[in-house]
Amino acid sequence: MEFQLSEYRQGVTGDELTEDVRKIAKLVGNKYLSYQRYRKAGGRYGDHTFRRRFGSWTKVLAVSGLEQVKPRSEMKKVDPDNIISDVKRIAAELNSCIVTSKQYEALGAYAFPTVIEKFGIWKNLLENAGLSVTGFIAKYSDIEVFTEIERIWTVLGRQPTTTDLKRGISRISLEALSRRFGGWRNTLVAFLEYVSDGSSPNQDDLDNVASEESVIPYTEVDAAGENRKKRTPRNINLRLRFRTLQLDAFKCRACGASPAKNPETELHVDHIVPWSKGGETELDNLQTLCSKCNLGKSNLHNLTHTT
């Protein structure tokens, strides 16, 4: 057996590394190239060389101009045991009994969507690898999650994606959101079911929309001191708020301002006929206004009331 030193890589440049990756990708004809495929096809450089230079294989692909997410056809070929071995390797390198999803994204050999495809949620991978799941119990209630999704959706003016969350737009991590319902898509499905008419919410979160036959015992004292029976409470709940925003295309109904075009825009959902003047908290009596138009409306109302 011949013993020899591996090629010394300390002086290798980033351009040399990415050039070799692009060469192998062209050779195998793939827009996405896994590290394992890269090595099998004759790639010159080792995993540690890439990680020291770029941090992760995903970043190598990004700098090389290749696709960073493995196609579903390729995901199906990945052996879950290989992912388990990979997360164990990272735990050993970190000398830790727990590995977070962010650590894996930085150090792992497989793209995070591939991991979710195989294990559903991050906690399942940790359990299969015999690692600690302490601290991975959901911290957020469903309502907190749904409120944050509603905020993000409003800011973007469209359905949020995992890419949006990875850019830091969410106050709750993608991992926490996905873990709550077993994946990001499942989280969106749960959110839409909650805000739709066909949902089955908890009693405490029932929709404010009431039938004509039912009268909820809400009262309002008018200017004459008389009690006025109301069918709905003044508060606009999450369902009605989101459905109003959606109907108004996440834009101010008065001036057309939207957070998607101007991040400083703040949208409010407001009663068209004020609740105190007999207006109900129902979809037909709600509108989307930006903070400036809503303030202008309030000022006009106050001026009219005092003159």
Side-chain angles (χ1 to χ4, degrees):
M1 179 178 179
E2 183 179 356
F3 294 90
Q4 59 183 8
L5 290 174
S6 299
E7 185 178 347
Y8 189 55
R9 305 295 190 192
Q10 186 172 352
V12 68
T13 66
D15 288 342
E16 288 175 316
L17 291 171
T18 55
E19 182 182 351
D20 195 55
V21 170
R22 283 192 290 266
K23 181 184 76 174
I24 298 299
K26 185 177 181 180
L27 178 67
V28 300
N30 281 5
K31 294 182 179 179
Y32 173 86
L33 182 69
S34 68
Y35 174 72
Q36 289 75 12
R37 186 74 180 274
Y38 163 78
R39 290 294 283 177
K40 286 180 180 179
R44 298 173 55 198
Y45 304 104
D47 181 42
H48 286 286
T49 303
F50 283 111
R51 275 193 277 141
R52 279 198 301 269
R53 177 71 63 176
F54 296 100
S56 71
W57 182 249
T58 302
K59 290 181 180 178
V60 174
L61 295 176
V63 175
S64 301
L66 299 175
E67 291 185 1
Q68 300 165 54
V69 178
K70 189 188 295 286
R72 289 186 66 87
S73 58
E74 290 294 319
M75 287 183 185
K76 292 178 181 178
K77 298 177 184 178
V78 175
D79 187 340
D81 288 341
N82 291 341
I83 300 178
I84 292 172
S85 297
D86 196 48
V87 76
K88 286 181 177 179
R89 169 187 64 80
I90 294 172
E93 290 180 2
L94 297 174
N95 192 26
S96 173
C97 62
I98 188 169
V99 177
T100 68
S101 62
K102 286 186 178 180
Q103 289 171 329
Y104 188 83
E105 285 187 281
L107 304 173
Y110 298 92
F112 194 70
T114 305
V115 175
I116 297 302
E117 173 78 14
K118 295 297 179 181
F119 293 92
I121 58 175
W122 183 247
K123 179 183 175 183
N124 290 346
L125 172 57
L126 294 181
E127 289 177 340
N128 276 273
L131 298 174
S132 173
V133 296
T134 303
F136 281 84
I137 298 173
K139 299 178 182 179
Y140 305 97
S141 68
D142 290 357
I143 297 300
E144 287 175 310
V145 171
F146 294 153
T147 300
E148 180 61 3
I149 293 174
E150 184 259 356
R151 185 191 68 80
I152 298 168
W153 204 312
T154 302
V155 167
L156 295 173
R158 58 170 172 78
Q159 177 182 311
T161 66
T162 54
T163 301
D164 296 321
L165 270 71
K166 288 176 181 177
R167 289 173 180 163
I169 192 172
S170 175
R171 295 166 184 161
I172 305 176
S173 70
L174 173 60
E175 176 194 342
L177 290 168
S178 298
R179 186 172 64 247
R180 182 76 186 176
F181 296 97
W184 173 240
R185 185 168 183 79
N186 287 345
T187 304
L188 291 178
V189 169
F191 169 72
L192 292 175
E193 286 179 350
Y194 178 78
V195 297
S196 72
D197 290 327
S199 60
S200 300
N202 294 328
Q203 186 65 33
D204 291 339
D205 301 314
L206 285 174
D207 202 334
N208 286 333
V209 180
S211 65
E212 293 183 2
E213 291 80 17
S214 63
V215 176
I216 304 173
Y218 294 104
T219 59
E220 171 76 355
V221 179
D222 61 19
E226 297 179 357
N227 288 340
R228 191 193 300 249
K229 278 192 175 183
K230 306 288 290 184
R231 294 191 302 113
T232 56
R234 182 193 294 266
N235 179 58
I236 303 170
N237 67 21
L238 178 63
R239 288 193 189 89
L240 281 175
R241 175 182 163 79
F242 182 78
R243 283 151 61 187
T244 303
L245 289 164
Q246 198 172 33
L247 285 172
D248 290 334
F250 302 94
K251 297 177 183 178
C252 174
R253 192 180 289 188
C255 71
S258 73
K261 293 181 179 179
N262 181 2
E264 294 183 2
T265 300
E266 181 182 352
L267 296 181
H268 297 170
V269 173
D270 183 58
H271 291 85
I272 297 172
V273 177
W275 193 82
S276 60
K277 291 185 174 294
E280 295 287 354
T281 306
E282 297 174 329
L283 201 58
D284 291 342
N285 191 45
L286 298 175
Q287 64 180 339
T288 303
L289 294 176
C290 69
S291 55
K292 291 182 179 179
C293 290
N294 197 26
L295 178 61
K297 176 188 171 185
S298 298
N299 290 339
L300 180 62
H301 169 72
N302 292 334
L303 182 62
T304 304
H305 186 70
T306 55
T307 54

